[in-house]
Each structure stands twice: as structure tokens, then as C-alpha cells.
Amino acid sequence: MANIRDVAKAAGVSVATVSRYLNNKGYISEEAKRVIAQAVEELNYQPSMIARSLSTKQSTFIGLIVPDIVNPFFPELARAIEDIALAYGYTVILCNSDEDLEKEINYVKTLQQKYVAGFIVATSHAEAEHYIGLDIPIVAIDRRIHSSIPYIATDNREGARIGTEHLLDSGCTNILCMRGPLGLGPADDRFAGFNDAVMGKNINTHIIECPFQFDVAETMVKKVLAEASIDGIFASSDVTAAGAMKAAYSAGIHVPSQLQIVGYDGTMLASQLTPGLTTVAQDLYRIGAMAARMLIKLIEGQELTEHEVLIPAELLIRQTTRSGA
Amino acid sequence: MANIRDVAKAAGVSVATVSRYLNNKGYISEEAKRVIAQAVEELNYQPSMIARSLSTKQSTFIGLIVPDIVNPFFPELARAIEDIALAYGYTVILCNSDEDLEKEINYVKTLQQKYVAGFIVATSHAEAEHYIGLDIPIVAIDRRIHSSIPYIATDNREGARIGTEHLLDSGCTNILCMRGPLGLGPADDRFAGFNDAVMGKNINTHIIECPFQFDVAETMVKKVLAEASIDGIFASSDVTAAGAMKAAYSAGIHVPSQLQIVGYDGTMLASQLTPGLTTVAQDLYRIGAMAARMLIKLIEGQELTEHEVLIPAELLIRQTTRSGA
DNA sequence: TCATTATGTGTAACCGGTACCACATAGAAC
DNA sequence: GTTCTATGTGGTACCGGTTACACATAATGA
């Protein structure tokens, strides 16, 4: 592969001129532009990003840290981030942390060695120290890491309130709330939103804490349905809602006539279930895209206009609730 | 950040010695090891992979090109690849091609500039020229690119045969085959497997060509169900099977008592549907992991023992077919 | 007319590693 | 005693870019 000196020689100019040409920096005559362009063409020259990175100490890699890309919540985020990154000339490095702090720290370290320009982090365990010390731009998605780190998420509390309200409007009076893990920001927020909705109303509520896992959700809900009479479920993710649907099916309980279910996230999964899952949709693409844009701004030294952004959620009424049937 | 010269100075040795120490190459005295290790520790030194890459013209980046990470087939692959890559010290760059040739070529170009060590490609359009000319290791997943490029996939023909056979065994006699796009390797193979199974049997078959998209599948199946009497569907992906389930539900056709459905892929989606989707499972993790291992072998200059690997598929019987009900 | 500024280009140090080569020493082999 | 080999270390060119600085020349302003 040709390098910049080959191009300079072929064009009959110095490497500095070629470099200026490539970066649109400083003065270059039209004539120089012409001959360089021709040389670049002839040699099929492509500048080495590695060499450029070494010299400028900058790079065009963005590290994306997610708990597990297999969770349907994350591919949509990743997709958005990748789209924006591509548009701005960045590439995305995929990291699965498995919610494992050590793995996460390790990743950050490794990627620093590789001069990543910044991180988008969709996982965290309050152990913010590992991030705030870094002199690399970071944007947090979904879960807040630290007040100093820009943060983008859905307005989970309001979203959960809307979703629960929908169950209420559809006539549910015995509601099971499948809240997410205690201490996990978004899960806590959604639970708060659920409470906002039922508070003061004459509603029987059952609360269970359930991880964002299909199997566990199915098992837990099966048990609850056997013991209590429930006519509505607010699940704090689509995956756990899917588990609840399965449990209802096994128990011979018809959805939505006997039991109504509202999920959360608005992933593909929700739309592909039968019956279609009514869900509180996060605008995942918008969140991802916005995070990517913010990160790139930070990387390129621009000021952020907003430090924390809450995106409104939208209720997608489908067939697991009666108004959608 | 400290560099290798700082370490050398602190340890009172030359950079060459430090470099040898870091790479476990050549002779180093125990004493030298000790002082260098100490200096590394003190300075919290981390070698720059960028500089190393520039010098060695190698890197530890693997480019993963998929059509769309949002398709539930790919996250599981990506996950496996990432796991293996991490274990061997590589990092994965995520690229969504959208089946767009230009985008794909562009990606390859960009990543070459960034010195990726190799590609794992899960997308292709027979336009293999863009890959075979590259002097970078490539491994193809799922879809064959060219005979010169190592290829790993499920034994789709046999998998489809097993899946179809299962419908036959469960008593279906009017079977709809939702084949994937014509000309797409795995889709053609699966269709061949379907034919292998029904050939010579006294079965009515209906064939439709259906892209791997939920909505399209739902619409197409709705139409077929309205016009013909079908008691079994072989879908060549879980996503399209999910679409078929939805169509049956809308038409008031009960699964599996009136209509049995077999999907293909064995993604999470299949297990999360209600009723659970009987599906021909690809061992996605194994495929991804194997592809990653093969690629790393190639990158590191080792010989490949196998050039093409077909992984057997496994039938997962769940509740959309009667033997699983 | 002379100083100043805008325009244009080249030289070479630098980013942080790698690795070739020279060189030193010590023990083994002859 | 000399040669050979194994062991250990250092100097420095090189990878392919960027950019500070020096140095031109032409145009502008006082």
C-alpha cells in the first residue's frame, strides 16, 4: 500500500503539502490540489488511520459497552449508534460486560490502549470511580453512572405511569407489578411510575421483583397466577412480559379477556409475539442516535447543550390489553 | 501516559529490553525482568496498541459484518464471536451492511485503513471479488462467499429436512413452505431440504417466497390461509414463523391443533413466543465461536484443518407442533 | 518605498512502539 | 588458547502519518 511519501513523490510536492491537502488545512494552491488528487487516484492511496492516530493521539473508535447484546433491548440501540457513528466516520467496538464489573474495567483498559475516542456505556454498578477518572469522553445510556457523566434515557417513571394507567383504564383491579431488580435505576424509576399510577386508587397490587429474564419471569408468574387472582400485569420489560404471557397460556388463562398485560421497552419482540404485546415503547433508536451524537460532540471538543436528556415513552396499544383487541 | 522510553529510563535499561520483556521475545535476565516489572507497575504503564500496530502492521481488531444486528439471528452470533475474540485479545468492530453492497465495500475499505486483522462476514451477494482480492483473512458465516474463503454454517439442507419430517410425522398433509429469498444460499439449501422430505410422499405443498421479515410474513401467510387449507407450515426462519403464528391467530386458527408450525434458527425469539415455537435450532454460538477461532488462526498464520464446516442442526420440539403439545 | 500580511511550500522532529544489528560476556568444545 | 555458541543488552532506523517552524513570494497598506 502506498504511503503519504509515495504520493508526495508522485505529485512532486512535499509530504506536508499532501497532508494539508488530505486534511483540508492551511494553504494549498489549486495546482497542488490537482496533482495530489491525481497521484492519490493513481496510487489508490488510502491514509493509515493507525499512523494518524499515533500522531494525533485521537482515534475514530467508539467503545460500546452493553451487558449482553443478546438481550433484544440492545441491538436496537447498537444499531442506532452504529448508524450515526458511520455517518461521522467513526466505528463501533462491541463489548459485552455481562454486568461483570471486572470484565467491564478490563474492557475500558484494553480499549484505552487502543486509543478509543470515547465510550457509550449502557451498564453500570454505581462503581462510577472507574469512569469518572478517565480522561475520555463517556456518555451513559439507560442507566445513570454519575452526575458528571452525560446521561440519556427514557422518562421511565412517566412511561411506567402511562402503561399502568392503561391497565387501569382497561378495567384491571388486581394488578401484578413485575418490577425489575432493586437498586437498578431504570427498574426503580419504573416501579415509582407504577406506584404513581395506582396510588390512591382502589386497586389490589401484588409486587414481585423479577430479573429481566424470560424463564425466571415465566416461573414466577406461573406461581403468582396459581395463588392469586390477577387481571392485569405490568411487566417492566418486554422479555418478562413474554414470560408472563407464556405462564398465562400454560395456566389456560386467556389474554386479554381474562388477563391483560403491558410490557416495557417496545422491542421487536413485543411486536412479534402473539397476541401482539401492548408495551411502553422507548425510542431506542433516538436514544442511541442521540447518545452517539453527544459523544461525538464531546470527542470533537464541542460543548454539550444538554447534560441529561429524558426521552418520553410512548404507549403502543396492541392485543394484550382490551382496548387494543 | 507513560511510554516505553519512560519505562526504560525508570528501569535503567534500553527500550529494546523493555520491548523484549513485554513481548516475551529473546533473552532477558531475571534481574532485568524484575526492574522492568517494577517500573511498569510504578508508572502504570500500558503499551499503546496503536504504535504497536503501526510498527508491526498488525492489529487486534476483527471486523464483523452482518446485515442488521437487530435481526435476532445475529446478536447470538456476535456474542459468541465477541467472547472468543476477547479471550484471544481481539476486539470486535460491529458493521451493519443492510445487505447494501456499497455500504459493505465501504466498510471493508474503512476498516482496512484502520488495519483490521480480519473479517467475519455474515452477508454477501455473490459479489465475491471485493473479498477475494483482499490480503486480509476472512471467514464467511452462514452464507458462502467464494470457494477460496473458509465457510461455516449449519447443515441447512439436513436441518430443513428434519424440520419438515417432523411436520409429516405429526400428521400434516397440506404444508406451506415459506422459503427464503431465491438465490440466497441458506434459503436455497433449506428449500432443498424441505423438498427432500416431502418428495415422493403424498403431500400437498404450497410454496411461497418470503423475505426474513415479520410483517411481510404475516401478510403473506394471512392471504394463504384465507385461500387454501393448510395444516402445517415450514418457515425458514423464526421471525417468519412468528409472523405465521400471528396470521393464524388473526384468522382464528388454533396452533397446534388446527395448524402446526416449525420455525428455523432456534433464536431466543422462538423460545419466548407463546406457544413456544418448535424450531430447527442452529448452534449459533458454536458457529460464531468456531468462526472466530478459525479467523484468529488465519490471522496468526496457522493452517486451517478444515476449510468448510457444516454444523448439524437440532430440532427443538415445543408447542407449535402436536408431539410437543 | 518599506513594512506588513496573506498565500504557499518544504524540512524534519515527533507520536510509541518493533526489531535488526552490533556488541559484550561466559562457558563449552576442540 | 582459540573458536563457537548461548545469553543478554543497547543503539537506532523504521512504521506512516502530523505539524511547528523556516522560508519563500505576492499583494496590500501607510
Side-chain angles (χ1 to χ4, degrees):
Chain A
M1 264 256 271
N3 65 30
I4 198 171
R5 282 161 240 263
D6 297 331
V7 174
K9 194 175 294 175
V13 298
S14 72
V15 293
T17 305
V18 177
S19 178
R20 277 190 292 263
Y21 166 80
L22 294 170
N23 298 292
N24 269 320
K25 248 184 204 169
Y27 300 110
I28 306 149
S29 62
E30 288 307 315
E31 172 61 10
K33 281 182 189 170
R34 210 183 46 73
V35 293
I36 294 172
Q38 197 186 329
V40 165
E41 181 69 23
E42 268 169 20
L43 298 171
N44 188 25
Y45 168 71
Q46 290 184 1
S48 155
M49 300 308 276
I50 294 286
R52 199 202 296 268
S53 286
L54 179 60
S55 185
T56 61
K57 288 162 173 292
Q58 288 183 357
S59 90
T60 52
F61 289 113
I62 291 176
L64 171 62
I65 303 185
V66 299
D68 185 358
I69 191 73
V70 170
N71 179 333
F73 178 79
F74 297 107
E76 306 194 27
L77 272 181
R79 181 59 214 255
I81 292 168
E82 204 266 316
D83 281 353
I84 301 301
L86 183 65
Y88 285 86
Y90 290 80
T91 41
V92 175
I93 295 174
L94 177 66
C95 315
N96 295 105
S97 73
D98 285 324
E99 306 277 13
D100 176 345
L101 181 61
E102 199 178 340
K103 213 173 158 191
E104 200 170 320
I105 293 174
N106 219 36
Y107 249 126
V108 173
K109 223 193 214 164
T110 307
L111 293 191
Q112 265 193 301
Q113 283 185 43
K114 298 191 181 185
Y115 281 68
V116 262
F119 288 102
I120 293 179
V121 181
T123 166
S124 109
H125 332 260
E127 282 89 349
E129 310 87 48
H130 301 284
Y131 288 109
I132 52 178
L134 262 46
D135 53 349
I136 291 184
I138 297 174
V139 171
I141 269 188
D142 190 41
R143 311 184 195 174
R144 187 182 273 104
I145 297 181
H146 187 265
S147 61
S148 69
I149 295 176
Y151 163 72
I152 304 172
T154 300
D155 185 342
N156 283 305
R157 182 162 183 170
E158 179 62 9
R161 198 191 59 75
I162 294 170
T164 309
E165 205 89 58
H166 176 63
L167 284 174
L168 266 32
D169 292 346
S170 305
C172 299
T173 52
N174 286 287
I175 300 185
L176 168 64
C177 174
M178 304 170 67
R179 59 150 302 152
L182 255 164
L184 189 67
D188 288 343
D189 292 345
R190 289 172 205 173
F191 184 52
F194 172 81
N195 282 325
D196 290 345
V198 296
M199 180 104 55
K201 311 255 167 65
N202 193 18
I203 303 289
N204 291 321
T205 60
H206 299 68
I207 315 294
I208 56 173
E209 183 186 340
C210 177
F212 296 131
Q213 291 168 29
F214 179 84
D215 294 350
V216 181
E218 182 187 356
T219 310
M220 291 181 93
V221 173
K222 217 175 244 173
K223 201 164 157 228
V224 173
L225 291 178
E227 291 169 357
S229 98
I230 301 287
D231 61 4
I233 297 183
F234 175 73
S236 48
S237 78
D238 288 340
V239 171
T240 47
M245 284 171 70
K246 187 87 175 277
Y249 180 82
S250 312
I253 298 174
H254 186 258
V255 175
S257 65
Q258 296 172 278
L259 173 65
Q260 302 185 69
I261 302 180
V262 170
Y264 202 104
D265 280 345
T267 55
M268 288 287 171
L269 173 64
S271 68
Q272 296 178 352
L273 290 169
T274 300
L277 176 65
T278 292
T279 184
V280 179
Q282 306 196 52
D283 196 339
L284 260 19
Y285 196 92
R286 185 162 155 214
I287 292 179
M290 187 170 280
R293 280 205 201 87
M294 279 172 77
L295 183 65
I296 291 170
K297 266 194 183 175
L298 286 174
I299 289 170
E300 300 184 346
Q302 296 172 42
E303 279 301 313
L304 245 41
T305 49
E306 297 160 296
H307 193 74
E308 302 221 339
V309 183
L310 284 189
I311 310 280
E314 186 192 0
L315 180 67
L316 298 183
I317 298 175
R318 293 203 268 247
Q319 293 85 45
T320 54
T321 50
R322 258 174 257 151
S323 24
Chain B
M1 261 250 275
N3 64 30
I4 198 173
R5 283 162 239 263
D6 297 331
V7 174
K9 193 175 294 175
V13 297
S14 73
V15 292
T17 304
V18 177
S19 178
R20 277 189 294 264
Y21 166 80
L22 294 171
N23 297 294
N24 269 320
K25 246 185 206 169
Y27 301 111
I28 306 148
S29 63
E30 290 307 315
E31 171 61 10
K33 282 182 187 169
R34 210 183 47 73
V35 293
I36 294 172
Q38 197 186 332
V40 165
E41 180 70 24
E42 267 170 20
L43 298 172
N44 188 27
Y45 169 71
Q46 291 184 0
S48 156
M49 301 307 278
I50 293 286
R52 198 200 298 266
S53 287
L54 180 60
S55 183
T56 60
K57 287 164 175 294
Q58 291 183 357
S59 89
T60 51
F61 289 113
I62 291 177
L64 170 63
I65 303 185
V66 300
D68 185 359
I69 191 73
V70 170
N71 180 332
F73 178 79
F74 296 107
E76 304 192 29
L77 274 180
R79 181 58 214 256
I81 292 169
E82 204 267 316
D83 281 354
I84 302 301
L86 183 65
Y88 286 87
Y90 290 80
T91 41
V92 175
I93 296 174
L94 177 66
C95 314
N96 296 105
S97 73
D98 284 324
E99 306 278 13
D100 177 344
L101 181 61
E102 199 179 341
K103 214 174 157 191
E104 200 171 320
I105 294 174
N106 218 36
Y107 251 127
V108 173
K109 222 192 214 167
T110 307
L111 293 191
Q112 265 193 299
Q113 285 184 43
K114 298 190 180 184
Y115 282 66
V116 262
F119 287 102
I120 293 179
V121 181
T123 167
S124 108
H125 334 261
E127 283 89 346
E129 309 88 48
H130 301 286
Y131 288 108
I132 52 179
L134 262 47
D135 52 347
I136 291 183
I138 296 175
V139 171
I141 270 190
D142 190 40
R143 311 183 194 176
R144 188 182 271 104
I145 296 182
H146 186 267
S147 60
S148 68
I149 296 175
Y151 163 73
I152 303 171
T154 299
D155 186 343
N156 283 305
R157 183 163 182 167
E158 179 61 9
R161 198 192 59 73
I162 294 171
T164 310
E165 205 89 59
H166 177 64
L167 284 175
L168 266 34
D169 293 345
S170 306
C172 298
T173 52
N174 287 286
I175 300 186
L176 168 65
C177 174
M178 304 170 65
R179 58 151 301 153
L182 254 164
L184 189 68
D188 289 343
D189 292 345
R190 288 172 206 173
F191 184 52
F194 171 82
N195 282 325
D196 291 346
V198 296
M199 181 107 52
K201 311 261 167 63
N202 193 20
I203 302 289
N204 291 321
T205 60
H206 300 67
I207 315 294
I208 57 173
E209 182 187 340
C210 178
F212 296 132
Q213 290 167 31
F214 179 83
D215 295 349
V216 182
E218 182 187 357
T219 310
M220 291 181 93
V221 173
K222 218 176 245 173
K223 204 166 155 224
V224 174
L225 291 179
E227 291 167 357
S229 99
I230 302 287
D231 61 3
I233 296 183
F234 175 72
S236 48
S237 78
D238 288 340
V239 171
T240 48
M245 285 172 69
K246 187 86 175 277
Y249 180 81
S250 312
I253 297 172
H254 185 257
V255 175
S257 65
Q258 295 172 275
L259 173 66
Q260 301 185 68
I261 302 180
V262 170
Y264 201 104
D265 281 344
T267 54
M268 287 287 171
L269 172 64
S271 68
Q272 296 178 352
L273 290 168
T274 300
L277 176 65
T278 293
T279 185
V280 178
Q282 307 196 53
D283 196 338
L284 261 18
Y285 195 93
R286 184 160 156 217
I287 292 179
M290 187 170 281
R293 281 204 201 85
M294 280 172 77
L295 183 66
I296 291 171
K297 266 194 184 174
L298 285 174
I299 289 170
E300 299 184 348
Q302 296 172 43
E303 280 300 313
L304 245 43
T305 50
E306 299 160 295
H307 193 72
E308 301 221 340
V309 183
L310 284 190
I311 309 281
E314 185 192 0
L315 180 67
L316 298 183
I317 298 175
R318 294 204 266 246
Q319 294 84 46
T320 55
T321 51
R322 257 174 257 150
S323 25

